[in-house]
Amino acid sequence: MNYRIINKQVFEQAQVRSVSDVVFTEEELENGMKLAVSKKDSTLTLSLVDIDGQKKFDVRWDDSSEVFNGWYSAWDNFQWCLSIVETQNDKEA
């Protein structure tokens, strides 16, 4: 596994049902709730964010961010980014 799960409970919930009932702390409301992070590039994260009262998934990498309504689109994007990180690290080695 080339990523580390940060919040296992919400990570697993997102895969099988709605995350609309997930409660955020004040800090998570501001910065999002990290669900997973790349082991090779800590700037690549998959987070749950609250945008205008709606829970969405945010894939962040370096200074870019892409927000998704659904888990599967976000997960596909996160996996794609992970594959790029792996390729970059292989070339640098």
Side-chain angles (χ1 to χ4, degrees):
M1 210 162 53
N2 51 359
Y3 61 92
R4 185 173 60 251
I5 296 172
I6 305 299
N7 188 323
K8 185 176 181 181
Q9 180 180 350
V10 177
F11 182 87
E12 290 176 348
Q13 177 178 335
Q15 295 174 57
V16 294
R17 64 184 176 88
S18 172
V19 291
S20 62
D21 63 341
V22 172
V23 179
F24 283 177
T25 64
E26 196 64 39
E27 183 180 339
E28 289 167 343
L29 276 172
E30 284 185 35
N31 304 313
M33 176 189 289
K34 281 187 187 175
L35 302 181
V37 63
S38 166
K39 287 183 178 178
K40 291 191 175 184
D41 185 344
S42 62
T43 67
L44 174 54
T45 62
L46 171 61
S47 301
L48 183 65
V49 295
D50 187 294
I51 299 175
D52 298 327
Q54 298 287 316
K55 301 287 191 317
K56 299 183 186 267
F57 298 96
D58 184 15
V59 177
R60 296 179 190 171
W61 189 11
D62 285 329
D63 60 351
S64 66
S65 172
E66 192 163 352
V67 176
F68 298 88
N69 290 324
W71 166 259
Y72 294 106
S73 298
W75 182 245
D76 285 347
N77 186 266
F78 183 69
Q79 292 282 67
W80 179 81
C81 292
L82 283 171
S83 71
I84 301 299
V85 168
E86 292 292 317
T87 303
Q88 287 177 345
N89 285 335
D90 289 345
K91 289 179 181 175
E92 292 172 4

